[in-house]
Amino acid sequence: MGDLEQKKANNKQLAVRLLIVAVAGLAFGFALAPLYNILCEAIGLNGKADITATAAASNTVIDQSRKVTVLFTGETMPGLDWGFSANEPNVEVYPGEIKLTSYKAINRGKQAVVGSAVPSISPEVASLYFKKIECFCFNQQTLQPGEIKDMPIRFFVSPDLPKDIKTVTLSYSFYKVDNKPK
Amino acid sequence: MSTNTATHHDDHGHPTGIMRWVASTNHKDIGTLYLWFSFFMFLFAGALALGIRAELFQPGLQFLEPENFNRLTTLHGLIMIFGAIMPAFVGFANWMIPLMIGASDLAFPRLNNMSFWLMIPAALLLMTSIFVPGGAIAGGWTMYPPLSVQNPSMSVDMSILALHILGVSSIVGSINIITTILNMRAPGMTMMKMPLFVWTWLITAFLLIASMPVLAGALTMLLTDRHFGTSFFDAAGGGDPVLWQHVFWFFGHPEVYIMILPAFGLISTIIPTFARKPLFGYASMVYATAAIALLSFVVWAHHMFTTGMPVAGQLFFMYSTMLISIPTGVKVFNWVATMWRGSMTFETPMLFSIAVVFLFTIGGFSGLVCAILPVDIQVQDTYYVVAHFHYVLFSGAAMSIMGAVYYWLPKWTGFMYDETLGKWHFWVTTIAFNVTFFPMHFTGLAGMPRRVPDYALQFAEFNMISSFGAFALGISQLLFLYIVVKCIKGGTKADAKPWDGAEGLEWTVPSPAPFHTFEVPPTVK
């Protein structure tokens, strides 16, 4: 029966098309990972912008009309037996002014350990305007047992920072490198 | 092949005994399998919930280690969603869609068999994961990293594999259903003449095809993060745990509508029957369903208001979420307008449907409350959210399934169910449900966090009430089982059309529906 054959062919054709939609859905699911990172950096979502990018020291005019408080916090993630804290918990800067401050890390363990710090900025929008010229987070850090290390960060807050933001928090999470759970 | 001789097919041999079910390609048999499977999983996941409520009966830790409590909440959620509610709707789709559109079976009967039998290993993986070293998956049904990446237990991998299998089953099933609906309708059955249940399933199937693969992608990334050294969600390696939440909820919010749109279809079928009036605003129902489905893809981040996102993003997701209440409101209005001045009678299916309209609307309103950004920041992860989603999922999805079971039991079994017992089941279920979940609005607003086995003393009374309600709710479902079994065994013979107000092709075939129906397509005027 040609009619029935025709119907079966139609069904098969539709099913294949729907399968293509499903496969496209799968591809889209994976594509969301890079898309998300691009989006985060573009609009400062999750305070992720410029995580490791080195900003060039700019010759922008220093905006002396207002001051911004920058709070520094830090924590270590499970598996990393380090003490880690900011030497200056808060710093006041003029937008555009280049400032140097530092964190202190102590390896409390009995082995040399490599750690990596991941910064996060809050409020998230501020991440677009917080520029790091020099930062220990650009490289992995190795600490010998018992070693105490001062780790500098040189930064400035762009004068374009929206006027309603008066406090910016920079938070570092220190992870042990190669500490992936199996 | 299969034309003219419809009678001949009734006698030709098909396998009997267990092979009838294992090798079945018959949409009615597979529908029955799906429905029994989902009912068993419903009881199993319900029993897990009773473990939760037993622990929460009093403050302090009585029965469960906190880890075990977390395992119960996680498995309860996963199994209710993927094992009970979704398969139950697929069971209805199998049984009723061919009967409603005048097709002899689904488009791909063998794939249909595969879709069902894939569910069994998936369910076994989820259920046996309780016994592996390290215990069952415990980080919540949403499986947020870093917990789901750090938990070394094999059960997490078993759950990921189970969800992969269920995803394949759902996608194959959806392709089957869409092909059946688009290509196999009886002559004269135009799209805008299809029963609303068929319409809602068509749209649900598209949602499944679009969203399940995204979950599969996310689960695969989770698996490679766990075992193959990638860092999609691991901040130490440059990933971001919040990415999981975005991808998961991009699947998760359409999933919410996958679990409610077929329920809308069911009660849009039942209410006109017992109001003895055609459905008010049929076309607007179709468009509202499509609108809800489209909107479901642009609201996902309302699950993540507290994860930190730009205010513009929060506002977008707040407004898009609120927008969904418009098509949903259209539906509620249409159901009420269908009942308005109808010659209503209150058989069990109608009682369930009216309760669904009433209680689902409460869940809808609490959803609207949660959508308000500043309020959500307060109620996020509290029992208010638990109350909200049980009002939409239990009294929306599960109770519409119960009502629809009563509605079509005469068609399936050839016998009328026991109306008195059915009404008992309805009233006990409805009252116990509200006793269980209504107080959670109060405890949630007062700040009781979800997924915690202990709570502050001030919540003791409400929790005790909730636990009493939960046990009544659980036990009353055994009555449901008894009523269904009793109806299968016998009773008053059912006519081809036992409900005098019922419309639709399924009532033109005898009760019980013969093994093969519509071998010759009927003509719809």
Side-chain angles (χ1 to χ4, degrees):
Chain A
M1 288 187 56
D3 202 26
L4 191 74
E5 296 297 313
Q6 183 59 42
K7 275 185 178 162
K8 284 199 164 174
N10 285 347
N11 286 352
K12 203 171 229 173
Q13 190 187 28
L14 181 58
V16 169
R17 285 183 185 164
L18 292 169
L19 193 65
I20 292 170
V21 175
V23 173
L26 186 67
F28 179 70
F30 281 106
L32 280 173
L35 274 177
Y36 174 74
N37 284 334
I38 293 167
L39 204 68
C40 280
E41 282 175 27
I43 65 171
L45 195 65
N46 277 354
K48 271 184 84 167
D50 274 333
I51 275 194
T52 51
T54 315
S58 73
N59 51 2
T60 32
V61 188
I62 295 173
D63 178 1
Q64 305 246 6
S65 66
R66 57 173 172 151
K67 275 197 158 181
V68 180
T69 308
V70 183
L71 303 177
F72 293 94
T73 68
E75 58 179 346
T76 52
M77 299 314 271
L80 186 68
D81 188 15
W82 284 9
F84 173 61
S85 59
N87 287 327
E88 290 174 286
N90 59 73
V91 175
E92 285 205 333
V93 293
Y94 294 113
E97 177 193 5
I98 293 169
K99 199 89 180 175
L100 175 71
T101 181
S102 63
Y103 276 71
K104 190 189 297 282
I106 306 164
N107 184 356
R108 290 193 290 240
K110 292 193 166 44
Q111 278 160 334
V113 177
V114 183
S116 166
V118 177
S120 173
I121 288 163
S122 175
E124 300 96 32
V125 246
S127 61
L128 294 175
Y129 308 97
F130 193 92
K131 311 282 184 191
K132 296 186 285 289
I133 297 166
E134 185 191 341
C135 175
F136 58 90
C137 60
F138 294 163
N139 304 103
Q140 295 184 343
Q141 302 291 329
T142 309
L143 286 188
Q144 299 305 318
E147 184 184 346
I148 300 172
K149 195 172 186 179
D150 262 325
M151 300 183 298
I153 161 167
R154 194 186 299 273
F155 69 96
F156 67 94
V157 177
S158 157
D160 301 332
L161 182 79
K163 293 258 188 299
D164 58 323
I165 299 177
K166 298 194 167 57
T167 307
V168 176
T169 306
L170 176 59
S171 155
Y172 283 102
S173 301
F174 239 115
Y175 291 89
K176 187 175 174 187
V177 174
D178 293 324
N179 183 37
K180 287 201 64 64
K182 29 152 216 38
Chain B
M1 251 172 73
S2 58
T3 40
N4 338 346
T5 48
T7 44
H8 136 93
H9 275 277
D10 275 339
D11 5 279
H12 87 166
H14 51 79
T16 51
I18 185 110
M19 283 315 286
R20 168 183 173 183
W21 303 103
V22 173
S24 181
T25 54
N26 180 283
H27 73 99
K28 301 186 185 77
D29 278 0
I30 295 175
T32 305
L33 285 172
Y34 264 110
L35 288 167
W36 275 115
F37 170 82
S38 67
F39 190 68
F40 174 73
M41 298 304 270
F42 178 66
L43 293 183
F44 181 83
L48 300 180
L50 293 187
I52 296 169
R53 285 315 321 173
E55 178 55 56
L56 293 174
F57 184 68
Q58 286 185 316
L61 297 179
Q62 285 86 31
F63 305 105
L64 296 168
E65 294 295 311
E67 263 303 281
N68 283 331
F69 182 89
N70 293 344
R71 291 178 182 125
L72 288 189
T73 55
T74 305
L75 279 183
H76 167 72
L78 281 174
I79 295 179
M80 275 296 184
I81 290 166
F82 293 101
I85 290 180
M86 289 172 69
F89 284 135
V90 182
F92 279 106
N94 259 284
W95 248 104
M96 302 319 298
I97 287 177
L99 285 178
M100 284 176 156
I101 63 173
S104 58
D105 205 313
L106 289 185
F108 306 104
R110 288 174 189 218
L111 284 183
N112 196 21
N113 173 289
M114 183 185 98
S115 290
F116 173 75
W117 285 104
L118 280 175
M119 310 278 302
I120 304 297
L124 288 176
L125 276 172
L126 275 177
M127 290 196 291
T128 54
S129 73
I130 298 170
F131 305 107
V132 301
I137 181 170
W141 83 276
T142 53
M143 298 184 285
Y144 281 1
L147 283 181
S148 55
V149 176
Q150 287 168 350
N151 184 351
S153 171
M154 193 170 80
S155 62
V156 182
D157 305 304
M158 291 167 80
S159 306
I160 290 173
L161 184 59
L163 291 182
H164 267 310
I165 298 172
L166 291 170
V168 172
S169 163
S170 290
I171 292 166
V172 171
S174 299
I175 291 177
N176 211 340
I177 287 169
I178 295 175
T179 310
T180 309
I181 296 173
L182 292 184
N183 283 4
M184 296 177 68
R185 299 190 308 278
M189 172 72 75
T190 58
M191 292 296 276
M192 290 309 277
K193 275 188 191 166
M194 294 195 311
L196 210 74
F197 178 67
V198 180
W199 255 116
T200 53
W201 241 112
L202 178 66
I203 291 167
T204 302
F206 273 110
L207 283 183
L208 278 165
I209 287 185
S211 69
M212 287 305 276
V214 177
L215 175 70
L219 288 169
T220 308
M221 289 189 257
L222 191 63
L223 202 64
T224 58
D225 263 18
R226 283 173 60 79
H227 296 290
F228 303 110
T230 59
S231 301
F232 289 104
F233 310 121
D234 186 359
D240 189 341
V242 179
L243 169 64
W244 165 269
Q245 299 189 24
H246 280 290
V247 185
F248 180 86
W249 286 113
F250 187 85
F251 144 80
H253 205 81
E255 168 71 17
V256 171
Y257 294 106
I258 287 162
M259 291 189 286
I260 199 64
L261 293 182
F264 289 168
L266 292 174
I267 59 172
S268 299
T269 312
I270 295 170
I271 287 178
T273 297
F274 296 97
R276 292 167 182 78
K277 276 174 64 191
L279 184 69
F280 184 90
Y282 170 88
S284 68
M285 283 297 218
V286 173
Y287 297 134
T289 310
I292 293 173
L294 290 176
L295 283 173
S296 75
F297 283 103
V298 292
V299 299
W300 76 90
H302 69 213
H303 296 270
M304 317 163 42
F305 278 151
T306 58
T307 56
M309 72 178 98
V311 176
Q314 291 178 318
L315 289 178
F316 170 80
F317 286 109
M318 171 168 122
Y319 292 133
S320 63
T321 304
M322 290 180 161
L323 209 55
I324 293 187
S325 64
I326 295 171
T328 313
V330 167
K331 283 177 170 293
V332 173
F333 174 81
N334 284 346
W335 292 322
V336 175
T338 306
M339 289 188 270
W340 177 252
R341 293 190 169 166
S343 314
M344 290 212 285
T345 51
F346 299 95
E347 287 86 347
T348 309
M350 183 61 161
L351 289 175
F352 270 104
S353 298
I354 295 172
V356 168
V357 174
F358 182 72
L359 297 173
F360 172 81
T361 305
I362 293 179
F365 277 131
S366 61
L368 214 43
V369 172
C370 292
I372 304 168
L373 180 57
V375 179
D376 184 74
I377 289 166
Q378 297 297 312
V379 299
Q380 163 93 22
D381 268 338
T382 68
Y383 267 82
Y384 192 84
V385 177
V386 178
H388 157 67
F389 68 71
H390 282 92
Y391 266 82
V392 287
L393 281 179
F394 190 91
S395 63
M399 281 175 65
S400 73
I401 290 168
M402 292 172 193
V405 166
Y406 285 111
Y407 185 64
W408 281 307
L409 260 182
K411 180 55 63 191
W412 298 338
T413 65
F415 300 110
M416 296 304 287
Y417 61 87
D418 187 325
E419 188 65 54
T420 314
L421 286 181
K423 285 192 169 135
W424 268 100
H425 172 229
F426 166 76
W427 284 108
V428 177
T429 300
T430 306
I431 293 169
F433 165 77
N434 282 290
V435 171
T436 309
F437 291 103
F438 207 80
M440 292 183 187
H441 290 110
F442 306 133
T443 51
L445 281 176
M448 179 171 161
R450 62 190 282 213
R451 293 172 173 152
V452 179
D454 192 5
Y455 50 84
L457 287 177
Q458 74 203 70
F459 305 125
E461 281 82 4
F462 279 137
N463 272 287
M464 193 174 276
I465 294 170
S466 279
S467 289
F468 275 125
F471 277 88
L473 186 59
I475 291 161
S476 65
Q477 302 320 310
L478 298 176
L479 177 62
F480 186 31
L481 177 64
Y482 172 76
I483 297 168
V484 172
V485 172
K486 188 177 170 207
C487 180
I488 293 169
K489 291 229 162 125
T492 322
K493 283 264 174 221
D495 297 333
K497 195 173 101 165
W499 315 116
D500 58 356
E503 304 273 348
L505 288 176
E506 77 261 36
W507 307 110
T508 64
V509 302
S511 296
F515 199 65
H516 294 289
T517 42
F518 297 132
E519 295 284 300
V520 184
T523 305
V524 181
K525 303 156 289 316

